[in-house]
Amino acid sequence: MIPFEKLVSRSVVIALSRELDISGTKISVNRLLEYMIVGGLAILIILAYGLFLFKVNVGLAALAGIIGAVVYEIMIYAILEFRVEQRKNFVESILPDFLQISAANIRSGAAMDKAIVMAARPEFKYFSDDVKDIDKMVYAGETLQNALTALGNRYRSLQLRHTIRMMNEAIQYGGGMTDLLNQVAKDLRAQNMMQKEVSGQLFLYTIFIAFAALIGAPVLYGLTTQMITVTDNVWAGILKQNPGGLPTAGVSFLRPSPPKITIAQYHTFALTAIIIITGFGAFIISAIANGSVLKGIKYLPIFLIAGIGIYLLVVTFISGLFTTISGV
């Protein structure tokens, strides 16, 4: 196996290892770097060479290949960040229940470490596996405070880390752990409820952005495409009847001329603009509705397909309508 880890700096390896840990991805850093380096080079070469075969300028083909490789690397990182965010949201959703079960176990007479491990239920999924590691660390000689801190470091969740910090302070300075856990669980539930209420109040903004990205922009670009098509056909007829162009009517700088942009060029521009608009729309809606930009990744394919589909549908419909009218 090629040691891809030696091709990058140590700080990059540490950062990627940390990212893999908190995302719950069960692959090595070397394998991740293999996917990133080999995949990026493959996309760069295939895309650049493919465009060159289609008679595209060498510089533009190379630039497109580089952009494709960069987008590929960004997508890999975005997928990891999405998994990190997904794990964080899941843990924060079940954390109040976990704390209340732990408090009930402590009230029944169980030791602190045992009460926490006993609260790891199957419905808590991978969080239960991480909680059970606390028992192993304590038996190996680690303090309960360090074991709890290690649990908090496995997730990018401020709620979990603040909860563990308060638990560690209660262990160090003494205090009613049962009352603390119950109160923290109550506060977390209230906070989650408030976030849902805020998301509901912002629902109208979500509808407006979705309409603008999925319907407004594709329809307008579709209408403009047909307008350029009609204009191009009109100018083709005019130039056929007047090969030398239209007269200037005594003012040379007001001489009418056909548009410089072709239908194919505008079609490419419209598709690119729609992809950008719908892509940003997905991320903006995710930020408004969920408070997380990265959750927009799951909306992205739907928005892209819907936006491009509506654009093509509008172009086809209006083109058929004009054809019918001209044929009457």
Side-chain angles (χ1 to χ4, degrees), residues 56-302:
V56 177
N57 181 272
V58 176
L60 292 177
L63 179 61
I66 293 172
I67 293 175
V70 171
V71 170
Y72 171 77
E73 307 295 348
I74 292 175
M75 287 302 298
I76 290 180
Y77 183 76
I79 290 172
L80 289 177
E81 285 293 312
F82 176 72
R83 288 177 60 86
V84 170
E85 189 72 17
Q86 195 176 37
R87 283 164 56 87
K88 168 208 161 190
N89 292 331
F90 174 76
V91 168
E92 290 182 351
S93 67
I94 57 95
L95 188 57
D97 294 333
F98 172 77
L99 294 177
Q100 285 192 323
I101 295 173
S102 299
N105 292 336
I106 294 174
R107 188 181 295 111
S108 65
M112 179 69 179
D113 56 336
K114 295 295 183 183
I116 295 174
V117 174
M118 289 167 58
R121 303 296 176 84
E123 57 267 26
F124 296 158
K125 300 179 182 178
Y126 44 80
F127 184 69
S128 294
D129 298 331
D130 292 336
V131 169
K132 290 176 182 177
D133 288 340
I134 292 178
D135 201 29
K136 300 176 184 177
M137 295 178 67
V138 172
Y139 271 112
E142 195 66 71
T143 64
L144 178 58
Q145 291 170 282
N146 290 339
L148 288 172
T149 302
L151 173 65
N153 291 334
R154 292 183 181 181
Y155 300 88
R156 193 178 292 168
S157 169
L158 290 177
Q159 288 187 4
L160 178 61
R161 291 181 182 180
H162 288 332
T163 300
I164 288 176
R165 177 178 56 81
M166 288 186 286
M167 292 172 66
N168 285 338
E169 290 178 356
I171 293 173
Q172 182 177 358
Y173 301 110
M177 185 63 71
T178 302
D179 295 334
L180 172 65
L181 295 181
N182 282 326
Q183 186 60 45
V184 171
K186 181 180 178 181
D187 292 342
L188 291 177
R189 279 203 175 91
Q191 182 177 345
N192 292 337
M193 187 65 66
M194 184 179 300
Q195 289 177 349
K196 291 180 179 179
E197 290 178 0
V198 171
S199 297
Q201 293 174 358
L202 295 175
F203 183 67
L204 289 178
Y205 294 98
T206 302
I207 294 177
F208 173 76
I209 294 174
F211 177 82
L214 294 179
I215 300 177
V219 169
L220 289 176
Y221 280 116
L223 291 171
T224 309
T225 301
Q226 187 58 38
M227 183 186 71
I228 292 177
T229 302
V230 172
T231 305
D232 189 70
N233 292 335
V234 170
W235 270 103
I238 293 175
L239 294 177
K240 186 177 180 180
Q241 297 176 3
N242 302 276
L246 294 178
T248 60
V251 185
S252 60
F253 61 86
L254 290 179
R255 182 175 183 175
S257 61
K260 303 299 181 182
I261 186 172
T262 65
I263 298 173
Q265 289 174 337
Y266 185 80
H267 184 68
T268 302
F269 165 77
L271 287 175
T272 304
I274 289 171
I275 290 173
I276 294 174
I277 292 172
T278 52
F280 276 102
F283 290 118
I284 293 172
I285 287 176
S286 175
I288 293 175
N290 306 309
S292 172
V293 175
L294 291 172
K295 279 189 176 182
I297 295 176
K298 65 181 180 181
Y299 304 135
L300 188 58
I302 300 173

